[in-house]
Amino acid sequence: MQQPIAILDSGVGGLTVAREVMRQLPREKIIYFGDTERTPYGPRPAEEVVRFTREIVDYLVQFGPKMIVIACNTATAVALEDIRSRLNIPVIGVINPGARAAIGRSTTGQIGVIGTEGTIRSGAYEQALRQLNPHVRVISEACPLFVPLVEQGNFRSNETREAVYQSIGHMRSYSLDTLILGCTHYPFLVDLISEVMGPQVMLISSADETAREISAILHNEGKLSRGDELPVHQFFCSGQPTMFKSIAQQWLGEQIELTPVVWQVPKIG
Ligand code: DGL
């Protein structure tokens, strides 16, 4: 039996990471959990996000994963160390990969970060960026309107365009050359975010760099899958599955064969 990579998020956001893992590591089996019943995590107190993350990880370990990927910045910011201390398999988050990608790409060192209230409040990106380069200037902004719009599959409507302009329009005045999409839901809004920020600002999603980190860790541990068969991925969500399924198919559909995908709603909490 192939050991899967377990990926979790508060909802559909982690699919942006899952898609990149499928692209870079097509032989790896993924078990994905979206906590759509309790999304968004962004406005919740840190202790609650830690508790939810523990519950999901406890659920996912029954599948014997070889690695856990916390594909949620909000949960990474507050729960990564806690989850690491409880397991003896690699556990990675998305903040360090995102920060690394931004430092690698920025030429002026003027870096913006947008994320949920929880992520921005934690200061985790500033810390990660400054550890890599103490001279960067970091401008952070919480965008609490974005995640509910994405969870509704509302990626391009006038309402969403207005929300994006209203939330980050002012960031154009900071002469940023790089903007970190510090929430895994935000790549769904990349066209609008790019429209607002303009072509001179590079948008960084942590998905790409996170998938590279997964690959490097599995390679070092000799745990990369070698089978010839394409894996059958499994997706779980805690809430009503219709919207999750529709977004997952839109986002992943062209990239992978979706069948057979097992949809199940676990009882948690
Ligand atoms: N996608 C998540 C993140 O990266 C969580 C968004 C939320 O639930 O508020 O932060």
Side-chain angles (χ1 to χ4, degrees):
M1 266 290 276
Q2 193 191 131
Q3 267 191 295
I5 297 170
I7 301 182
L8 64 102
D9 178 48
S10 67
V12 296
L15 294 170
T16 60
V17 175
R19 182 166 84 171
E20 198 49 35
V21 175
M22 290 169 188
R23 197 181 68 77
Q24 291 187 30
L25 299 167
R27 292 204 167 98
E28 298 297 333
K29 175 181 169 78
I30 290 173
I31 301 276
Y32 184 95
F33 191 108
D35 195 3
T36 47
E37 178 71 23
R38 302 186 291 191
T39 195
Y41 282 7
R44 294 181 185 275
E47 312 77 62
E48 195 170 36
V49 175
V50 173
R51 180 162 61 84
F52 289 177
T53 310
R54 281 184 186 174
E55 286 170 1
I56 297 169
V57 168
D58 287 349
Y59 179 80
L60 289 170
V61 290
Q62 70 177 298
F63 299 99
K66 54 186 169 186
M67 174 184 263
I68 301 272
V69 182
I70 303 181
C72 171
N73 291 266
T74 315
T76 299
V78 296
L80 179 63
E81 293 313 320
D82 176 85
I83 301 297
R84 272 189 180 148
S85 70
R86 293 156 59 94
L87 298 176
N88 49 18
I89 53 171
V91 180
I92 69 163
V94 282
I95 291 182
N96 281 335
R100 253 198 329 268
I103 293 286
R105 305 278 294 278
S106 174
T107 51
T108 64
Q110 308 260 68
I111 300 177
V113 181
I114 52 175
T116 67
E117 292 149 292
T119 300
I120 299 304
R121 199 188 321 121
S122 76
Y125 265 105
E126 277 189 55
Q127 212 183 318
L129 288 164
R130 293 237 159 78
Q131 235 161 42
L132 294 166
N133 178 350
H135 304 296
V136 288
R137 176 167 176 248
V138 184
I139 307 285
S140 305
E141 191 64 52
C143 302
L145 300 177
F146 292 2
V147 169
L149 289 164
V150 171
E151 286 291 330
Q152 289 157 21
N154 196 347
F155 309 144
R156 286 177 204 90
S157 68
N158 286 339
E159 183 193 0
T160 306
R161 170 175 277 108
E162 251 173 57
V164 175
Y165 271 87
Q166 187 190 319
S167 305
I168 63 169
H170 65 283
M171 293 185 90
R172 281 181 301 205
S173 61
Y174 293 121
S175 314
L176 307 170
D177 78 337
T178 306
L179 178 68
I180 300 177
L181 307 182
C183 171
T184 52
H185 282 72
Y186 297 177
F188 286 99
L189 305 179
V190 72
D191 293 344
L192 288 176
I193 294 172
S194 164
E195 179 185 309
V196 174
M197 296 308 294
Q200 73 287 359
V201 178
M202 248 174 320
L203 303 183
I204 304 283
S205 139
S206 45
D208 188 36
E209 190 69 18
T210 302
R212 256 195 286 278
E213 183 167 332
I214 294 169
S215 172
I217 292 172
L218 293 180
H219 176 77
N220 287 342
E221 299 208 337
K223 287 197 168 160
L224 280 169
S225 280
R226 292 210 178 76
D228 287 337
E229 270 176 52
L230 280 183
V232 178
H233 306 294
Q234 280 181 286
F235 294 84
F236 299 90
C237 66
S238 56
Q240 220 284 329
T242 315
M243 184 53 76
F244 180 88
K245 187 171 179 177
S246 148
I247 294 174
Q249 276 170 347
Q250 275 179 57
W251 191 253
L252 306 174
E254 314 235 320
Q255 314 291 321
I256 58 151
E257 285 185 39
L258 255 176
T259 50
V261 175
V262 177
W263 301 94
Q264 260 176 263
V265 184
K267 287 267 168 288
I268 52 171

